[in-house]
């Protein structure tokens, strides 16, 4: 009996792509078992703080989920429940889920936003989540997380192509850069996702077009506003010769305060999460969005001009990869295509984007969860060697709306 129960779990190994496997498990209703999580880490064996926090968030937006973690934290069993969002009695209070991040968190808020946004369209009720606590980092991070500005301007607009566009809002209530050593922050973010659908629309994105405009946000917290002006000037120096319609906005905010650990001044508070960064988004004539993020290191020492130039060059590199979706947006787009109606959707993708470990692993995981394989062929009349990826939707749909 125990053997048959264990065999009902889909087995995975390692901490890589943990979030997306949990999302796919929740969308398809398949239970999973993940072993060897950070098992060989010399400093921290088992689930990290941000991974445990994401599990708590997943439990809050679902009803009936069962999560079992081994004593050492190296093995996880997850049996998904129904996606209920901010419905009363499922972790929400007055229609709002408040999720606190600990001061040990090292990941940007985008680490939590991207997978949660994938679940929101398939929920029984709207999502209304406030992220708060001493670990909320709204900027980009050195670990590769994009800023909340890039999520708002480069990821959320993509849902419109799938027929998901109403009552979606991402509010930045308080900005924060990473604290010392990259740990913690004092930000606050609210996600409202109120458009639930039966099935995402089948899409055909077969043209990358030409970049017609570039928008961006230069932000600083707890430092001089002149840092924004210096970043903007450096970035425009790279981008203006290539695209005349370039506008970068400046956002200056005060840093949050935390309790000081200095015993000589008990009760005193100090600034926390100070820094500056830049988010850039390029929009093509046919709709694709390409984004880039740079932030000052927690230890400081990098001038704003370097941040501006590096972010501009990073954006140009993303554009040069080609295709009708960027590397940052590809997992979102491909997952929504796989979860759509039982029809063939097609998307143009750069060869270097498709060949990354993240995309190859996503295709294998989707196949393991019961989705169809991908059709791959060379794009006709493509100068960059782009590929056309054909995906047949699984037709899973929104189980919560079926029940309702």
């Amino acid at each position: 009996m125990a053997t048959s129960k264990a065999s009902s779990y889909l087995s995975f190994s390692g901490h890589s792509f943990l979030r997306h496997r949990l999302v796919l498990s929740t969308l398809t209703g398949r239970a999973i078992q993940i072993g060897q999580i950070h098992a060989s880490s010399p400093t921290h064996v088992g689930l990290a703080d941000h991974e445990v926090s994401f599990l708590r968030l997943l439990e809050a937006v679902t009803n009936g989920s069962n999560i079992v973690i081994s004593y050492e934290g190296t093995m996880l069993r997850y049996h998904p429940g129904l996606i209920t969002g901010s419905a009363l009695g499922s972790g929400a209070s007055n229609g709002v889920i408040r999720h606190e991040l600990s001061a040990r968190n090292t990941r940007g808020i985008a680490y939590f936003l991207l997978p949660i946004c994938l679940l929101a369209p398939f929920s029984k009720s709207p999502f209304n989540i406030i992220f708060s606590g001493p670990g909320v980092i709204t900027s980009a991070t050195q670990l590769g997380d994009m800023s909340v500005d890039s999520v708002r301007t480069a990821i959320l607009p993509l849902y419109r192509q799938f027929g998901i566009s109403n009552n979606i809002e991402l509010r930045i209530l308080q900005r924060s850069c990473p604290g010392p050593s990259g740990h913690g922050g004092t930000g606050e973010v609210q996600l409202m996702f109120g458009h639930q659908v039966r099935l995402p629309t089948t899409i055909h994105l077969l043209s990358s077009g030409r970049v017609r405009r570039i928008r961006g946000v230069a932000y600083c917290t707890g430092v001089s506003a002149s840092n924004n002006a210096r970043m903007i000037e450096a970035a425009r120096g790279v981008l203006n010769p290539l695209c005349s319609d370039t506008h970068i906005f400046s956002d200056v905010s005060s840093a949050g305060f935390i309790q000081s650990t200095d015993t000589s001044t008990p009760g005193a508070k100090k600034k926390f999460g100070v820094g500056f960064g830049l988010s850039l988004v390029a929009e093509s004539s046919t709709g694709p969005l390409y984004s880039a993020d740079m932030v000052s290191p927690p230890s400081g020492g990098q001038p704003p001009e370097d941040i501006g130039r590096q972010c501009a060059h990073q954006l140009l590199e993303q554009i040069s990869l080609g295709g009708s979706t960027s590397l940052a947006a590809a997992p979102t787009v491909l997952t929504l295509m796989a979860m759509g109606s039982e029809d063939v959707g097609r998307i143009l993708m750069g060869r270097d984007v498709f060949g990354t470990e993240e995309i190859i692993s996503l295709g294998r995981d989707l196949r393991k969860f019961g989705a169809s394989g991908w059709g791959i062929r060379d794009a006709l009349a493509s100068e960059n060697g782009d590929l056309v990826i054909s995906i047949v939707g699984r037709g899973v749909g929104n189980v919560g709306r079926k029940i309702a």
Side-chain angles (χ1 to χ4, degrees):
M1 187 71 177
T3 305
S4 62
K5 186 176 181 180
S7 63
S8 64
Y9 288 86
L10 296 179
S11 297
F12 299 92
S13 179
H15 66 280
S16 300
F17 319 114
L18 174 70
R19 291 174 305 158
H20 220 87
R21 286 167 177 169
L22 291 170
V23 167
L24 293 178
S25 172
T26 307
L27 291 175
T28 59
R30 300 288 302 274
I32 63 173
Q33 175 177 302
I34 305 176
Q36 299 297 311
I37 302 174
H38 299 287
S40 59
S41 173
T43 56
H44 192 292
V45 177
L47 289 165
D49 291 320
H50 55 270
E51 293 166 339
V52 174
S53 182
F54 179 71
L55 286 171
R56 290 194 295 106
L57 178 60
L58 203 58
E59 187 178 27
V61 299
T62 58
N63 185 16
S65 295
N66 184 24
I67 302 173
V68 178
I69 303 174
S70 67
Y71 179 76
E72 293 179 342
T74 57
M75 192 275 290
L76 164 68
R77 280 187 177 180
Y78 173 65
H79 194 288
L82 183 67
I83 308 173
T84 54
S86 299
L88 186 64
S90 60
S93 176
N94 297 323
V96 179
I97 295 175
R98 292 188 174 272
H99 185 70
E100 289 202 3
L101 302 180
S102 72
R104 297 186 301 272
N105 177 50
T106 58
R107 303 304 297 260
I109 195 65
Y111 176 89
F112 304 91
L113 289 175
L114 295 180
I116 286 300
C117 287
L118 271 175
L119 296 178
F122 303 94
S123 173
K124 182 179 180 181
S125 302
F127 275 37
N128 190 350
I129 307 173
I130 295 180
F131 297 89
S132 59
V136 178
I137 304 170
T138 62
S139 69
T141 66
Q142 303 293 320
L143 298 175
D145 300 311
M146 62 169 48
S147 68
V148 68
D149 297 281
S150 293
V151 175
R152 179 173 54 85
T153 57
I155 302 298
L156 292 184
L158 297 175
Y159 285 84
R160 188 179 301 114
Q161 299 171 344
F162 295 91
I164 307 168
S165 59
N166 301 327
N167 304 320
I168 302 175
E169 189 176 357
L170 183 58
R171 296 177 179 174
I172 307 173
L173 306 180
Q174 171 68 44
R175 287 190 181 273
S176 177
C177 291
S181 303
H183 290 78
T186 57
E188 189 172 0
V189 173
Q190 182 177 14
L191 171 67
M192 292 180 288
F193 205 118
H195 193 169
Q196 281 67 47
V197 295
R198 259 291 288 122
L199 286 169
T201 304
T202 303
I203 64 170
H204 301 275
L205 303 175
L206 299 177
S207 175
S208 56
R210 292 181 176 273
V211 174
R212 64 176 182 177
R213 64 181 179 183
I214 297 175
R215 297 292 183 265
V217 177
Y219 53 87
C220 64
T221 57
V223 295
S224 172
S226 63
N227 291 295
N228 282 358
R230 293 163 64 184
M231 284 189 294
I232 292 172
E233 183 179 1
R236 288 180 65 94
V238 176
L239 299 174
N240 276 1
L242 306 173
C243 180
S244 58
D245 189 3
T246 301
H247 296 282
I248 304 175
F249 304 94
S250 176
D251 189 344
V252 181
S253 59
S254 58
F257 288 87
I258 63 170
Q259 197 74 28
S260 176
T261 56
D262 188 359
T263 56
S264 62
T265 55
K269 293 186 177 183
K270 64 176 182 179
K271 284 185 178 182
F272 195 81
V274 300
F276 50 86
L278 180 62
S279 166
L280 294 174
V281 176
E283 181 180 351
S284 170
S285 57
T286 55
L289 299 170
Y290 309 92
S291 64
D293 275 290
M294 286 296 295
V295 67
S296 60
S299 58
Q302 191 168 11
E305 290 82 2
D306 287 355
I307 298 292
R309 279 190 292 269
Q310 290 177 16
C311 191
H313 288 136
Q314 186 184 99
L315 179 65
L316 297 179
E317 183 180 0
Q318 291 296 319
I319 296 172
S320 70
L321 294 177
S324 56
T325 182
S326 65
L327 177 58
T332 297
V333 174
L334 294 173
T335 302
L336 289 174
M337 292 176 68
M339 294 296 114
S341 58
E342 297 179 5
D343 196 1
V344 181
R346 297 177 178 86
I347 185 169
L348 185 71
M349 187 171 291
R351 191 176 294 268
D352 291 336
V353 174
F354 180 77
T356 58
E357 183 183 1
E358 183 177 8
I359 302 304
I360 297 298
S361 177
L362 173 60
R364 290 171 177 168
D365 289 347
L366 283 169
R367 184 71 171 163
K368 198 166 185 177
F369 278 99
S372 62
W374 295 348
I376 307 168
R377 65 175 173 84
D378 291 327
L380 300 176
S382 175
E383 299 177 356
N384 301 325
D386 294 341
L387 302 172
V388 175
I389 313 300
S390 302
I391 301 177
V392 179
R394 194 172 185 270
V396 174
N398 190 329
V399 178
R401 291 181 70 86
K402 287 181 185 176
I403 295 175

